[in-house]
Amino acid sequence: LLVDAGLRDGMRVLDIGCGHGDVTLLAAQLVGAGGHVLGIDRDEGAVVAARARAAGLGLANVGFAPGDLGALSIDQAPFDAVIGRRVLMYLPDVVQTLGVLARLLAPGGLMAFQEHDSSGMPICATPMPLHTRASGWMWQTVAHEGGDIRIGLHLRDALMRAGLRVEAVRAQATIITPEQPHRITDIVRAMLPRMVAAGVTTAEEIDVDTLDARLAAERETTNGACIWELIFGAWARKPR
């Protein structure tokens, strides 16, 4: 996505909601020693971990800072690109946020985001009730927390309303087969306290210690394929 969107050597890039720096480090490879990537995240623990990763790799073209968009000063602008993964879906006003970010972009600057979308998911060749329930636990929790679970289908409109010129929107799918599982149980385990707090399910219903085996058995029994989720990518430019 970043390559196709136009991230290249020498760019100054801002990665919002950087977490442990996965996307930040990818961008750092693309901008090279002549560029620089700044990752920001509200979670100070994640920022500390991201800094340690960058230091371990000996990268001098990466920086990380705790805080949200309000922590950015105009002195740090302009950026050549603003990027992010799975961050817009959690914002209360995506268009307003994109507008703030656009002001930090140089004229002609790039904005590229990847967001997961639950629309119509999962789609299975044959019914897979447990997989469908597990998907529901996840997405209902995100929706309860205020997340936009159809953000992928809203990306184009949000970018345009923020005054940006959309260049492309695309989607890819995560596919599950008996030979090709997905880390559903790991995700459910990590989200379990949130699921219970949201009232979406109970620990007894999930029975996370047996969930992986039950999911595997269902895949083997149905012997079918399932589209687990859609991952949208979109990029746009600030008018010159």
Side-chain angles (χ1 to χ4, degrees):
L1 173 66
L2 297 178
V3 170
D4 290 349
L7 227 66
R8 62 182 185 276
D9 190 66
M11 278 186 163
R12 293 188 71 246
V13 180
L14 173 65
D15 177 20
I16 66 168
C18 66
H20 288 191
D22 291 347
V23 175
T24 318
L25 298 178
L26 284 176
Q29 296 177 38
L30 296 175
V31 303
H36 189 269
V37 186
L38 172 64
I40 63 168
D41 198 282
R42 295 175 180 175
D43 185 340
E44 294 195 20
V47 169
V48 170
R51 285 174 177 162
R53 290 181 70 188
L57 294 170
L59 296 177
N61 65 340
V62 177
F64 294 95
D68 54 23
L69 299 179
L72 292 171
S73 70
I74 198 66
D75 295 336
Q76 293 169 294
F79 291 95
D80 300 305
V82 175
I83 62 176
R85 177 179 181 271
R86 294 195 70 159
V87 60
L88 297 182
M89 65 188 297
Y90 294 108
L91 299 177
D93 192 328
V94 174
V95 175
Q96 179 189 40
T97 298
L98 292 175
V100 171
L101 294 172
R103 291 197 289 272
L104 300 174
L105 274 177
L110 170 72
M111 205 174 282
F113 288 96
Q114 185 184 74
E115 298 288 335
H116 290 213
D117 191 297
S118 73
S119 299
M121 298 295 111
I123 301 173
C124 301
T126 53
M128 297 171 70
L130 182 57
H131 284 72
T132 299
R133 284 165 57 203
S135 176
W137 296 334
M138 297 176 189
W139 287 111
Q140 289 169 35
T141 300
V142 173
H144 177 83
E145 295 170 344
D148 182 356
I149 63 175
R150 302 190 70 191
I151 184 65
L153 294 175
H154 299 157
L155 276 176
R156 175 186 175 274
D157 179 64
L159 290 163
M160 290 184 65
R161 288 172 59 197
L164 299 161
R165 187 181 72 252
V166 177
E167 295 189 346
V169 181
R170 70 187 187 196
Q172 296 171 285
T174 299
I175 307 296
I176 296 176
T177 70
E179 301 79 23
Q180 186 172 296
H182 187 54
R183 295 177 58 244
I184 298 172
T185 300
D186 291 341
I187 299 169
V188 170
R189 191 184 300 275
M191 291 183 67
L192 182 56
R194 293 163 54 196
M195 292 174 174
V196 174
V200 166
T201 184
T202 65
E204 291 73 22
E205 179 186 11
I206 292 175
D207 192 7
V208 72
D209 291 332
T210 68
L211 180 60
D212 207 46
R214 286 152 50 214
L215 288 167
E218 185 173 75
R219 287 192 296 272
E220 290 294 335
T221 301
T222 60
N223 196 32
C226 180
I227 301 175
W228 179 249
E229 63 188 346
L230 293 175
I231 302 112
F232 282 77
W235 62 90
R237 297 272 176 182
K238 180 177 179 177
R240 293 187 180 277

